[in-house]
Amino acid sequence: MNKLKTRRLVLAAAVAAMYTVLSYFGNIFGITYGGFQCRFSEALTVLPFFFPETTAGLFIGCILTNILSPMGIPDLVFGSLATLLAGLCTAKAKSRWLAPLPPVVSNGLIVGALIGWYEAGGFNSAFPAAFALNAGLVALGEIVACYGLGSLLLLLVPRVKPLRELAAEGKL
């Protein structure tokens, strides 16, 4: 394996570890799971804009985080897939201003639906209201994490020489 491939694999693994640790840290404050969730780790979902391989790290980190989810297997599967989808779309974003948008939309819709389903007890007459409320709350938390904290990453990554060099083939 050449040096560049090894560095990219290590970067993806580091992102998985950071995502997990930051999520568990947020759980101390009760903001990792539930309707209004503002995972500090979601700021990392902008990284595929510069480093597409970090999408795998985000997905693995989300799986490790969702192991503790009070919603169990559905969150482990669908919540993690929402992050995977967000990473894949962020990697294709055309500008830094659009890079935080896929996680907001993906998690708002998918995780919002999951929480709505969980709270309403299935797809019944209470589901649409529960979905609308939870989709909005999850999207709000994503806006704070991705446009707030994630925007800082979008500004700082190009200024850090080793990261700038690693992303030289990308969109910098």
Side-chain angles (χ1 to χ4, degrees):
M1 190 178 298
N2 71 29
K3 189 176 182 179
L4 185 60
K5 286 183 182 178
T6 302
R7 288 174 67 185
R8 291 183 181 277
L9 180 63
V10 169
L11 179 61
V15 167
M18 287 187 292
Y19 187 98
T20 306
V21 168
L22 287 170
S23 294
Y24 288 159
F25 175 72
N27 199 31
I28 293 169
F29 304 104
I31 58 174
T32 297
Y33 308 102
F36 179 75
Q37 52 182 265
C38 185
R39 292 183 178 180
F40 305 124
S41 55
E42 285 294 304
L44 300 173
T45 60
V46 302
L47 290 176
F49 179 74
F50 298 115
F51 312 105
E53 64 277 3
T54 60
T55 299
L58 292 167
F59 180 57
I60 292 167
C62 193
I63 288 171
L64 294 172
T65 297
N66 287 342
I67 287 172
L68 295 182
S69 173
M71 287 179 280
I73 299 295
D75 195 21
L76 185 66
V77 173
F78 295 107
S80 301
L81 287 174
T83 297
L84 177 62
L85 177 63
L88 293 170
C89 292
T90 299
K92 298 196 179 302
K94 300 295 183 198
S95 77
R96 291 181 193 183
W97 300 109
L98 292 176
L101 187 60
V104 172
V105 173
S106 176
N107 284 293
L109 293 176
I110 297 171
V111 176
L114 179 64
I115 296 170
W117 173 82
Y118 183 77
E119 288 180 354
F123 295 111
N124 54 37
S125 60
F127 175 76
F131 166 67
L133 174 65
N134 286 296
L137 288 173
V138 170
L140 179 62
E142 288 291 314
I143 288 169
V144 170
C146 298
Y147 275 98
L149 298 172
S151 292
L152 291 173
L153 284 175
L154 290 169
L155 291 172
L156 293 175
V157 166
R159 295 180 179 164
V160 177
K161 187 177 179 185
L163 294 176
R164 183 175 60 241
E165 291 171 356
L166 188 60
E169 303 162 358
K171 301 173 187 172
L172 287 177

